[in-house]
Each structure stands twice: as structure tokens, then as C-alpha cells.
Amino acid sequence: MLPKRASSAYLSAVPRVTGLYERTTAAFILAVLLLLAVGVTTFWGFGRINDARDDRQHSVAVRERLTGMLVHLQDAETGQRGFLLTGREPYLQPFSTGSQQARADLDTLVQLTAPDSDISPAIRALTPAIEAKLSELTETVNLRRANGLNAALVVVQTDRGRVLMDSVRQVIRGVARTEADRYARAGATVSRTTTLVEIVSASGVLLAIGFVVIAAVVLRHDASSRLAIESQLEEVSDEMRDLYERAPCGYHTLDSEGLIVRMNQTESRWLGLQLDEVIGKKTVFDLLAPEDRANARARFERLVNGEDIGTGEVRFVRKDGTRFAVLVSSSVSRDSRGVPWRVRATMLDQTEFRGARDMVNRLNASLQRHVAELEDVNRELERFSYTVSHDLRAPLRAIAGFATLLKEEHVSRLDPEGLRLLDVIHVNTERMGRLIDDLLSLSRLSRTPLVRAPVDMTTLVTGVVDDRKAAGSDGGVTITIGELPGVEADPTLIKHVWERLIDNAVKFTAGVAAPRIDIGAKNGNGAPIFTVRDNGVGLDMQYAEKVFEVFQRLHPQSEYEGTGVGLAIVQRVVHRHGGRVWVESAPGQGATFFFTLDAKGGA
Amino acid sequence: MADAESVEILLVEDSSEDAELTLRALKKHNLANRIHHAKDGVEALDFLFARGPHADQATLRMLRVVLLDLKLPRVDGIEVLTQMRADPRTKLVPVVVLTSSREDPDISRCYALGVNSYIVKPVAFEEFIKVVSSLGLYWLLLNQPPT
């Protein structure tokens, strides 16, 4: 079963692009709307410009016609004057042509002018004016032709013709002015509208481009984060696949009939089968031990029917016919309608588990045996200590005691050599007594439980030194005690360390002129290093390690008393505290013993 | 060896050498005639409770101190001490345990059982004499017995 929760946890780490679709769509819609607005504006603008141009053309046409009409009217008048003056018919040619054309111009003007136009009244007013002028001209021409020049001049002199001509001119001027205004207004409209269309289309297009660019940038960014997500997804899915395939448990997925649709490598390895031998070809029941099949099928049915069947144990049969038991735990996934779709199962190989459990049990048993053996050895050691202390000391006591009695009560019968021999016995019994005491002490210090408590080293060392002064066992040595930091240690055991080190230093400064022992401490890597420095005989560094071994002596017994156990006790106690002890020295130059009570300390 | 009536010190000691040395030390201080020496726990208990060979004696009244070795044949020192402390007649008799070593695991048990003192027998004879003598003098002369 693939851990779904894990995968979603992985994906939540990937940044999400929220509302991307909405934002880019909005940008595109805005761009389209802008372009639409530009289009509408342009269309409207061109319409308006066209209208204005039509107005201008119309205006030009009206003015041309007006001018043409006036010219033709003047042509007609000129022809009339010529005819009036000369009476010659050819002059009537321009007169009639001018009249016709003036009338045609007027017709055209009427056609050009819509009934609701502002010049329509003026144009309408022109028709009678022109007709009046033309009839005046015709009248004079007819008078000239019928009654001669004077009859015509009478009419001319009435000034009616001039007045009529003036009124025509006036009307024409008024209309021309109106049309000139219209022409100018239309021109202004054209240029205004052109500017407006230019501004709207330029800014609209620019904005639309802007929106498209923004959308493109957003999409591009989205594409790159999609790529990142995809590569991360790929990584996660690789990891999932790896986990799935190589997990220490078997995984398989079944359809609702029990047919195997997926299986991890671990399980196929357990079975000794290739994946293509099972996927889509075998049901899980085919792989089970025959006697387990019915039960497994029943459990499967119950699981598919929604029952909780917990964890069960089944036996699989490998390709080679051998069997192995697994613990199996299954779950059902259902489609949206609740119909069972897949059954996923996790299996733990019981043989490996049992093997491990057996191993743990075996190790445990052997550990317990060892503990018991150790306890036996320990008890044996304690019995040995007891025996040593009693059975070795008792005869020793007798030897020493009776040698003394012999010396005291039979002194008269002994010669000096006899007395000397008795002294040798005496000295050696004492030495052996000390040796036994020291050995017991070493054994006890190794066995008693270590109980750490805060220890005031200065007080402790001062006490030890004072004890020696009081007992007279300090050998008259000058002993200085520097500042000693407190420690967490077993006070009883640490006291032994100081006692043995100080006694050792006293012993080896015995033959020196101004014997001196300096006790101090220095900081070593965060933990104190305690030092006992003497100016005694010192020792060869070649043997520096040996001084801490039991019974190792660097000097003959006759020179320095000692059992060879003291420094072994020091080392034992220091080691039990997790510390280190060492010595620096040279023959004849004194020795300095160092010890730490912490693994950190020391260089 | 003193007669039973005048015994003030009971020495319980299986080692004849230690016993002899102890007796000699006490003799030096003229205490030896008041000592009874028991060689094991059984003898000590018989003497203490006036039974067996000591059935007709009444020594309890006079006993000033018991010097008790722990390692004894038959009945050991711990058992002797236990029985003494359990019996009202011997409950208050001072007991000094003599031991060969301070390593003895029984020492703490002895204190728990109400021993009055314990002495490590020194190897050196002079010291041994000193210890034993001062013991005798202390318990015979200095210590006020419970009455």
C-alpha cells in the first residue's frame, strides 16, 4: 500500500500557483475588450469622419453650385445687356444659356438640400428670386425685341433688375457663409475625431499588449513552477517506488476478485516468482498453501464486505514448493459509489521475524548465562577475599606473635644472630600483613558501588595531609595545597586516591635534602586535572606505565617500603570514575602524577 | 583458667594460637585468671546459658564482656550473637567482635545485631597485645555495666 499521506506531505512542500487560471483569463479578456473598444471607437470615428467629409463635399458642391448659378445668372444678364444695347440676336445666346444653366443649378441646389436642412428656406427663397430676376430679364428682352431699346430701358431704369440681382446675391452669400461654416465645422470634426481615434486605438492597443505580456509572463512563470513541481513529483514518485519495491515487507494490490494487479519486489523475491508470472494471471489464493485457501477466501469476502478482519497469518508456497508464513494486514479502497475497487495488503515475513526473535532470545539467554557466571566469579572473589583475610592473616598473626614471644621470653638463650633472624621474621610478617590488606583494599575498591556526590577536594586533601602530619607519617615533607576545584565523585574512593598519591610522594622524597610536595589542579579541556608534584628520586619514563600495575615496583624493597599495590588502587579508582592517571618524571628530578575524573579531561 | 564463679571475660576463639596470644596479653595485665575460653559457638552458648557441661553454673551475673570471633566451627559467631541478643539474660552483655579483617562482610550484620564494638586483630604482636589489653581493661575497669 502506497503511503498516501506521505505523498501529500511531500507535495505540500511544492509552492502552489493559486488563481493563475483566473488571472490570466482576466488579462486576456481585458485585452480583447480593449481591442473591441478600439475597434468600436475606430468604426464610430471613421463613420463620423466620413459623415464630416460628406458634409464638406456637400458644402463644396452647394457653394460651387451657388457660385455657378451666380455666374450663369450674370452670363444671362450680360447677354441681356448686350442684346438690349445692340439688338443683335447672338447676344441672346449667352442669355438663354445662362438662364437655363442658372435654373439647372437651382434645381441641383434644391436636390442637394434636404428639406430639413438649415439652408433649405434660403434655397427655397432663391427660386422665386431667380425666377423674378430671369422674368425681369426676359421681360426686358421681349420689350427690346418688340418695342425697342427705350421701352426696355424704362424697365431697366426702374432698378428692379439690380434690386433683384442684389437680393439673389445676398441670399447666395448667406447660404455660402452657412456652408463655409459647415465646411469648417466638418473639418474640425474630422481632425478631432481622427485625434480621438488615434489616442484611443494607440492606448487601447498598448494596454492590450501590456495585458497579453503580463499573461504571458505569468504563464511562463507558471510553466517553470509546473516544471519544478513535476521534477519534484518525479523525485517523490521515484522515492515512493523505491520504498514500495524494496521495503522489508511484502506489498500487493488485488482487484475485488483477488486477482493480483501489483506486487512489490520484496514479495516476489519471497515467492521466487517473476512479476509477469503473477500480475493479472494469478489470484492471491493461488499462491497460498492449499489448506489455507478456504479460510483466506472467507476472510477476503468479509474484508470486501466492509468487515474489520484485523491481522491474520497465512502460509505462502514458494515457486520451489517450500512454504513461509506471513502476517498480513489488508485494506479495501472503494470507488465513489462505495463499490470495492482494490484490496491492498502488507505482509511481514514471520520466518525472518521469528529468526530475529530466536536470535534475541538466544543472545538474551547467553547474556543471562554470562551475568550468572560473572556473579559466580564475583561471589568467588568475595569468598576468596574473606579467605585471604582470615586464613592467611591468622597464621601470620601466629608467626608474628610467637616470634615476639620467643624474643621476649627466651632472649637469654638467643645469640645476636638468632635475634636478627627473629627480626627478619617479624619484618616480613608485617610486610605480608600490609600486602594482604592492600590486596583486599584493591579488591574492595573494585567491587563497591560507585556513589557520586559533590566533593570539596580542598577539604578532603587538607584532611588527608593533616592525618599524616598527626600520625607523623608525613616524613617531615613540606606539603603545599593549591586551589582545588570541587568534583562529582565518590568521596570514599577519591580519598584513597589522594592518600596513595601523597604516601607515594612522601616515600620517594625520603632521601632528598628539602623534600617538598605540591598539590594542585589545572584546567584541562573543561575538566580539572589534579596534580601531585614531588621533588623526589623520580623515575625513568620508560617504566611510566608500569608503576600503575599491581606488584610492579621500580625500586628494591630494601630501598623503599611498599607492596606495589598503591598506585594500582589509584588507577582502579580513577578508571572507575571514567578518568585517566599518568605520570611525568625523570630520574632524580622528581615526579608529577596527574589524574582526571572525567573522560573529557587531560591532554 | 579461672573457676566459673569468677569469670568476667568470655573469649570465643577457635584458633588456639590466637587464643594463646590473647590470654598471654591479658595475663600481662593480670586479667587472665578471669577468662573462660570457648573453642566454638556451641561451647560458648553452653557456657553462656549454663547448659551441657556448664549446667550447674550461674555465670551470667558476673560476665563483663564477651570477646567473640566470627569464624567458628559448628555454630558461628553471628549465631552466637543472635542467640545472645534474643535472650533476656544475655541481651545486655557487652560483645566485642574480633575479626581478622575489616573486609569481613559480617561486620555490618554484627552492628545490626547490636554488637558493642569490633576489633581487627592486628598481625603485629605488639599491637595485638595493646588492643587485647586495652579491651580487657576498658570493659573490666572503665565501662559501667548495665545493672
Side-chain angles (χ1 to χ4, degrees), chain A residues 57 60 83 93 111 151 159 217 253 257 322 329 393 416 449 494 502 530-531 534:
Chain A
Q57 276 171 3
V60 169
F83 181 73
Q93 184 63 38
Q111 276 164 17
D159 260 0
V217 167
T253 305
E257 302 299 317
T322 57
S329 141
R393 281 170 63 98
I494 290 307
I502 292 168
F530 297 98
T531 55
D534 67 56

Coordinates of all heavy atoms in Angstrom, one line a residue, chain A residues 57 60 83 93 111 151 159 217 253 257 322 329 393 416 449 494 502 530-531 534:
Chain A
Q57 N -18.0 67.8 -48.7 CA -18.2 67.7 -50.1 C -19.5 68.4 -50.5 O -19.6 69.1 -51.5 CB -18.2 66.2 -50.5 CG -16.8 65.7 -50.7 CD -16.9 64.2 -50.9 OE1 -17.9 63.6 -51.0 NE2 -15.7 63.6 -51.0
V60 N -19.1 72.0 -50.4 CA -18.3 72.4 -51.5 C -19.3 72.5 -52.7 O -19.3 73.5 -53.5 CB -17.1 71.5 -51.7 CG1 -16.5 71.8 -53.1 CG2 -16.1 71.8 -50.6
F83 N -27.8 92.4 -75.7 CA -28.9 92.4 -76.6 C -29.7 93.7 -76.5 O -30.0 94.3 -77.6 CB -29.9 91.2 -76.3 CG -31.0 91.1 -77.2 CD1 -30.9 90.7 -78.6 CD2 -32.3 91.5 -76.8 CE1 -32.0 90.6 -79.4 CE2 -33.4 91.4 -77.7 CZ -33.2 91.0 -79.0
Q93 N -27.8 84.4 -77.1 CA -27.2 83.0 -76.9 C -26.8 82.9 -75.4 O -27.3 82.0 -74.7 CB -26.1 82.7 -77.8 CG -25.6 81.3 -77.7 CD -26.6 80.3 -78.1 OE1 -27.4 80.5 -79.0 NE2 -26.7 79.2 -77.3
Q111 N -32.1 69.9 -55.1 CA -31.9 68.5 -54.9 C -30.8 68.2 -53.8 O -31.0 67.3 -53.0 CB -31.4 67.8 -56.2 CG -32.6 67.4 -57.1 CD -32.1 67.1 -58.5 OE1 -30.9 66.8 -58.7 NE2 -33.0 67.1 -59.4
A151 N -38.1 101.4 -74.7 CA -39.1 100.7 -73.8 C -38.4 99.8 -72.8 O -38.8 99.7 -71.7 CB -40.0 99.8 -74.8
D159 N -34.6 100.1 -61.9 CA -33.7 99.4 -60.9 C -34.2 98.1 -60.4 O -33.6 97.5 -59.5 CB -33.4 100.4 -59.7 CG -32.0 101.0 -59.9 OD1 -31.3 100.8 -61.0 OD2 -31.6 101.8 -59.0
V217 N 3.9 36.4 -19.2 CA 4.9 36.3 -18.1 C 4.4 35.4 -17.0 O 5.1 34.4 -16.6 CB 5.2 37.7 -17.5 CG1 6.0 37.5 -16.2 CG2 6.0 38.5 -18.5
T253 N -1.4 -5.6 -4.4 CA -2.7 -5.0 -4.6 C -3.6 -6.0 -5.4 O -3.1 -6.5 -6.4 CB -2.6 -3.7 -5.3 OG1 -1.7 -2.8 -4.6 CG2 -4.0 -3.0 -5.4
E257 N -11.8 -9.3 -7.0 CA -11.9 -10.8 -7.1 C -10.7 -11.5 -6.5 O -10.7 -12.7 -6.4 CB -12.1 -11.2 -8.5 CG -13.3 -10.6 -9.2 CD -14.6 -10.9 -8.5 OE1 -14.8 -12.1 -8.2 OE2 -15.4 -10.0 -8.4
T322 N 8.6 -24.8 -1.2 CA 8.7 -24.5 0.2 C 7.7 -23.5 0.6 O 7.2 -22.8 -0.2 CB 10.2 -24.1 0.5 OG1 10.4 -22.9 -0.2 CG2 11.2 -25.1 0.2
S329 N -1.9 -7.8 6.7 CA -2.9 -6.8 7.1 C -3.4 -6.1 5.9 O -2.6 -5.7 5.1 CB -2.3 -5.9 8.1 OG -2.7 -4.6 7.9
R393 N 45.8 -14.4 57.3 CA 46.2 -13.5 58.3 C 46.4 -14.3 59.7 O 47.3 -13.9 60.4 CB 45.2 -12.3 58.5 CG 45.4 -11.2 57.5 CD 44.2 -10.3 57.6 NE 44.2 -9.6 58.9 CZ 44.7 -8.4 59.1 NH1 45.3 -7.7 58.1 NH2 44.6 -7.9 60.3
P416 N 73.1 -13.1 69.2 CA 72.7 -11.9 68.3 C 72.2 -12.4 67.0 O 71.2 -11.8 66.4 CB 74.0 -11.1 68.2 CG 74.8 -11.5 69.4 CD 74.5 -12.9 69.8
P449 N 30.0 -0.3 45.0 CA 29.3 0.5 44.1 C 29.9 2.0 44.2 O 30.2 2.5 45.2 CB 27.9 0.5 44.5 CG 27.8 -0.6 45.5 CD 29.1 -0.8 46.1
I494 N 37.7 8.5 46.3 CA 38.7 9.6 45.9 C 39.7 9.8 47.1 O 40.9 10.1 46.8 CB 37.9 10.9 45.6 CG1 37.2 10.7 44.3 CG2 38.8 12.1 45.5 CD1 38.0 10.2 43.1
I502 N 49.8 10.8 47.9 CA 50.6 11.5 48.8 C 51.6 10.6 49.5 O 52.8 11.0 49.7 CB 49.7 12.3 49.8 CG1 48.9 13.4 49.1 CG2 50.5 12.9 51.0 CD1 47.7 14.0 49.9
F530 N 44.1 17.1 38.3 CA 44.7 17.2 39.6 C 46.2 16.8 39.5 O 46.5 15.8 38.8 CB 44.0 16.4 40.6 CG 42.6 17.0 40.8 CD1 41.5 16.3 40.1 CD2 42.3 18.1 41.6 CE1 40.2 16.8 40.3 CE2 41.0 18.6 41.7 CZ 40.0 17.9 41.1
T531 N 47.1 17.5 40.2 CA 48.5 17.1 40.1 C 49.1 17.0 41.5 O 48.7 17.7 42.5 CB 49.3 18.2 39.4 OG1 49.0 19.4 40.1 CG2 48.9 18.3 38.0
D534 N 56.3 16.0 43.2 CA 57.3 15.9 44.3 C 58.7 16.2 43.7 O 58.9 16.2 42.5 CB 57.2 14.5 45.0 CG 57.6 13.4 44.0 OD1 58.7 13.4 43.5 OD2 56.8 12.5 43.9

